[in-house]
Amino acid sequence: MEPRLDPFVTLLDLQRGTLDPQRADPEPRYGRDLVGFFQTDPIDPEALIYQVRPIPVPKEQSEIQCSTTTIEPGTVDGEYHMTKGHFHVVRERSEIYLGLAGEGLLVEATEDGRHHTEPMSRGSLHYIPGGWAHRTVNVGAEPLTFLAAYIGDAGQDYDTILRDGFPVVVRRGENGPEVSQNPRHPRVGADT
Ligand code: M6P
Ligand code: ZN
């Protein structure tokens, strides 16, 4: 075959998730971008909640999309800062996350409401199988940074999350993070 892309290398700052050279603009997510994802909408529309730094390649099945994500520490009305979370549009597409810095929780869920959480920290390697929505939550005092790699044509479905949310929410409790059922989710299933 005739190769489609030339090889390339990017230097990743393992603490901050920055890329050099940056092959695409970072994609910041502010309070205003996260309306509808927390139990209570963020008060400050200008607050930076997280930032995605993509390494762009064609969004096709033959390519591997890669990005870093850095979530700032903090809470929105008691819920820890988190990503929107998504299913893949092509549901069977899988993904890998690798924790780089900070302390987090990866929350995964199926469409019938089963759910699963895994602690994230430097070196934690997470396999997210097809059919599982995924959201990362920063439960620490420092930024949470992780690397993601996924099949290029996966696509992100946010509408299902905006409608139902995840089966569980992660809040700051007296003794650290507390995972509890989301009262708004239509069908909370088993913790697997
Ligand atoms: C990871 C990957 C990206 C995703 C990002 C933020 O980097 O899973 O595909 O965009 O996290 O998550 P979300 O899109 O759910 O806000
Ligand atoms: Zn994904």
Side-chain angles (χ1 to χ4, degrees):
M1 68 170 273
E2 185 60 29
R4 187 165 36 163
L5 301 177
D6 289 333
F8 60 87
V9 61
T10 303
L11 195 62
L12 161 61
D13 182 313
L14 295 174
Q15 194 71 29
R16 298 188 302 143
T18 52
L19 301 168
D20 182 17
Q22 208 172 255
R23 301 174 64 88
D25 288 337
E27 297 169 2
R29 301 278 182 260
Y30 298 102
R32 62 172 176 268
D33 301 312
L34 292 168
V35 170
F37 288 94
F38 290 93
Q39 298 286 297
T40 308
D41 287 334
I43 296 171
D44 182 0
E46 305 302 324
L48 176 66
I49 310 292
Y50 64 98
Q51 188 140 224
V52 179
R53 294 184 170 89
I55 301 173
V57 291
K59 295 184 189 317
E60 292 173 16
Q61 196 185 351
S62 55
E63 306 301 340
I64 299 169
Q65 300 276 346
C66 211
S67 53
T68 68
T69 301
T70 299
I71 309 176
E72 298 301 319
T75 54
V76 173
D77 196 23
E79 259 185 289
Y80 287 103
H81 283 179
M82 62 188 190
T83 58
K84 293 177 181 179
H86 58 267
F87 285 96
H88 289 150
V89 175
V90 183
R91 285 291 193 267
E92 60 264 36
R93 295 291 182 255
S94 53
E95 183 155 357
I96 285 172
Y97 281 176
L98 173 63
L100 299 178
E103 299 296 326
L105 273 184
L106 168 61
V107 182
E108 294 168 80
T110 59
E111 284 189 277
D112 61 4
R114 280 183 296 142
H115 50 95
H116 176 74
T117 57
E118 294 174 350
M120 299 182 81
S121 61
R122 183 175 177 78
S124 62
L125 180 57
H126 308 263
Y127 190 79
I128 303 164
W132 287 83
H134 33 291
R135 164 180 283 166
T136 47
V137 186
N138 184 349
V139 299
E142 304 295 328
L144 172 71
T145 297
F146 63 95
L147 178 78
Y150 56 100
I151 300 168
D153 65 349
Q156 285 99 4
D157 166 16
Y158 300 110
D159 289 346
T160 305
I161 305 301
L162 272 172
R163 189 191 64 204
D164 294 345
F166 273 63
V168 294
V169 297
V170 187
R171 300 184 160 283
R172 196 200 299 274
E174 280 185 16
N175 300 308
E178 288 175 1
V179 179
S180 57
Q181 278 198 10
N182 176 2
R184 296 189 196 155
H185 193 281
R187 42 186 182 280
V188 178
D191 184 351
T192 51

